[in-house]
Amino acid sequence: MAGRAPRGALHARQKPSSGHRVLLVTHHYAPETGAPQRRWGALVARFIPAGVDVSVLTPPPHYPSGTLAPGSEAHLPGTVSRGAHGERIIRVRYREHTTSLVSRTLDHLVAALSSIHLGWRRLRRRTVRPTVVIGTVPGIPSMFAAWALARIFRAALVVEMRDAWPDLIRPSGIMTGSLAQRRPGRAFATTLAHRVITRLQSRADLVVTTTETFADVVRSRGARNVAVVRNGTAFPVVSRPAVAAGTDLAPRPFRVVYAGTLGRSQGLEVVVRAAALVESRGLPIEVRIVGAGNDATQLAGLARSLGAPVTIGPPIPHAEIDALYNWADTLVVSLRDWEPFQWTVPSKLYEVMASGHHVTACVAGESAELVLSLEAGDVVPPGDVEALANLWAGYATSGIAPVASHAASAWVAAHANDDVLAETYLALLDGLTR
């Protein structure tokens, strides 16, 4: 990982030594909201004042619904506009999709092919021709479009892996699942995709991961230049724990909150089942789950069938998150028990640690080590309903709210700060083009 410039150096430098022209190929971008969109919004906001010319190839806003977002007429395919930070945004074609794998994959493929076509048409002039092309995942076809454009423009290729692809393909079952025996071609496609993605990582001029653990995995597979640029968080970092030690819970229930994506990767059924188990022991508990995702309906049905003390609602405005967090005694971060998740740290964990609240972490690997080493909260094995219920039952019985160490928010301020992350990224780009 490249050395970091001193804090504040990003704003002092007027122009990078190599005069980068960066092309970002991504399936998710503002005005959409989400972790990938937030990451690149924060980076671009710092790249441009540093003298970097940024172009973005991305579809119109259509996440997570799969249809064009209301009020997006100015972002239709083929349009070119300036983003909030002065970046050049070229909107590529997309395909309306449902929640099915095939439908979403076709959307990604359409956008990737359109990115190659429109990228060549719009960016071949010498003044805008990119010197660095960055393909960012999620949206696996984006990395292949980035590879093609880097070859066309004779530019450096950066492959950014926000998640542990291709390793997540097999445990997630997105290409096999329960249909594996009836559709053996999916198993072959899984193996082929793993090999092709790994090969592309090894051929990139730079692979960027968000954790040290996954960086080591990628290096072990032959990638010649791998660096870590962690995810950041827009949540204001507090200077002290949100709850004072010894805070009495009585006479109310123990309060739990999860706010984020309600998808298969999060495995939130463990939260619903644990809440039902705690209540069955005669202990007061109240759980709120807010967000959007493919599992929202299933989770609501499970809560009803168990009679669990769980309410599930839609995403809330960012301005209301702080009040929701302050209502809670603990905030949940959850991932399934899939090996590749041991190599990742969800951006939600940084947000929770920044808030100063206690975290209930249903995670393993690097995420678990981070929570334990910084005393940010408690860790239970992913998917372990009994362990999670025992943890919450213990706090409900004691009547004392759990407390996080100040070390957690201090670590976020030092290592997940957007200024620091942008400085690191710019230093890596400088190294590519020297």
Side-chain angles (χ1 to χ4, degrees):
M1 183 172 175
R4 290 180 174 136
R7 189 180 295 272
L10 180 61
H11 302 289
R13 56 193 285 183
Q14 296 299 311
K15 191 176 183 64
S17 59
S18 49
H20 307 299
R21 291 191 297 273
V22 170
L23 170 59
L24 173 66
V25 184
T26 177
H27 202 75
H28 303 287
Y29 202 72
E32 293 177 348
T33 58
Q37 298 89 328
R38 198 218 73 84
R39 174 180 173 86
W40 274 102
L43 289 172
V44 169
R46 289 156 177 80
F47 280 14
I48 289 178
V52 179
D53 180 84
V54 179
S55 299
V56 182
L57 286 165
T58 190
H62 67 298
Y63 172 84
S65 67
T67 58
L68 187 68
S72 297
E73 291 74 16
H75 305 303
L76 294 176
T79 58
V80 182
S81 62
R82 288 289 175 180
H85 314 295
E87 69 272 32
R88 183 184 302 105
I89 304 177
I90 303 167
R91 297 289 174 174
V92 304
R93 289 181 60 202
Y94 74 108
R95 180 184 182 276
E96 290 190 357
H97 64 81
T98 65
T99 58
S100 79
L101 167 66
V102 173
S103 183
R104 287 184 286 118
T105 300
L106 288 173
D107 173 44
H108 291 172
L109 289 172
V110 167
L113 291 172
S114 181
S115 294
I116 297 171
H117 172 66
L118 287 177
W120 167 243
R121 280 188 55 196
R122 301 287 189 177
L123 299 171
R124 59 186 174 184
R125 286 184 293 112
R126 190 171 184 177
T127 54
V128 295
R129 181 186 289 252
T131 56
V132 178
V133 180
I134 303 174
T136 183
V137 176
I140 292 176
S142 295
M143 62 193 292
F144 294 99
W147 171 81
L149 288 164
R151 294 290 298 269
I152 291 170
F153 292 126
R154 297 183 180 180
L157 172 64
V158 178
V159 171
E160 183 180 83
M161 310 302 299
R162 291 193 65 257
D163 295 304
W165 299 104
D167 302 84
L168 278 172
I169 294 175
R170 194 175 300 277
S172 68
I174 61 173
M175 298 183 73
T176 54
S178 61
L179 299 178
Q181 292 183 346
R182 283 180 286 165
R183 298 183 184 178
R186 289 193 175 191
F188 171 76
T190 299
T191 301
L192 180 62
H194 196 288
R195 290 177 179 174
V196 172
I197 294 172
T198 299
R199 185 172 180 83
L200 184 56
Q201 290 170 345
S202 67
R203 292 196 166 205
D205 297 288
L206 171 67
V207 178
V208 173
T209 72
T210 59
T211 65
E212 296 287 354
T213 310
F214 190 50
D216 289 340
V217 171
V218 176
R219 290 187 190 103
S220 72
R221 294 172 179 167
R224 61 182 183 272
N225 187 15
V226 185
V228 177
V229 180
R230 290 185 178 273
N231 286 315
T233 177
F235 204 93
V237 178
V238 301
S239 58
R240 57 183 175 77
V243 177
T247 299
D248 194 349
L249 295 177
R252 60 172 178 79
F254 184 64
R255 296 172 176 173
V256 179
V257 160
Y258 173 86
T261 303
L262 312 185
R264 189 179 183 199
S265 296
Q266 285 70 42
L268 293 171
E269 65 274 5
V270 67
V271 173
V272 176
R273 294 185 184 280
L277 186 55
V278 172
E279 188 179 60
S280 73
R281 298 174 182 175
L283 297 170
I285 185 170
E286 186 175 353
V287 179
R288 294 184 184 178
I289 297 176
V290 299
N294 295 341
D295 280 8
T297 301
Q298 176 185 335
L299 290 170
L302 178 63
R304 285 193 301 271
S305 67
L306 296 176
V310 178
T311 58
I312 297 174
I316 64 174
H318 185 75
E320 298 176 17
I321 287 289
D322 195 44
L324 179 65
Y325 282 8
N326 287 335
W327 174 87
D329 297 310
T330 188
L331 304 177
V332 174
V333 176
S334 179
L335 290 173
R336 286 197 182 275
D337 188 19
W338 296 340
E339 184 183 10
F341 282 152
Q342 296 183 24
W343 314 330
T344 63
V345 177
S347 55
K348 178 60 64 175
L349 179 57
Y350 297 138
E351 176 181 306
V352 172
M353 292 197 303
S355 75
H357 289 82
H358 176 274
V359 57
T360 293
C362 306
V363 296
E366 187 165 336
S367 294
E369 293 170 6
L370 201 59
V371 172
L372 293 174
S373 65
L374 296 172
E375 298 180 347
D378 291 288
V379 174
V380 297
D384 193 331
V385 174
E386 187 76 23
L388 185 57
N390 288 342
L391 173 68
W392 290 343
Y395 285 119
T397 301
S398 72
I400 303 298
V403 179
S405 167
H406 170 57
S409 58
W411 186 94
V412 172
H415 298 281
N417 175 280
D418 287 328
D419 287 338
V420 172
L421 299 176
E423 290 167 12
T424 302
Y425 224 126
L426 284 173
L428 293 168
L429 298 185
D430 284 342
L432 281 180
T433 54
R434 265 197 293 270

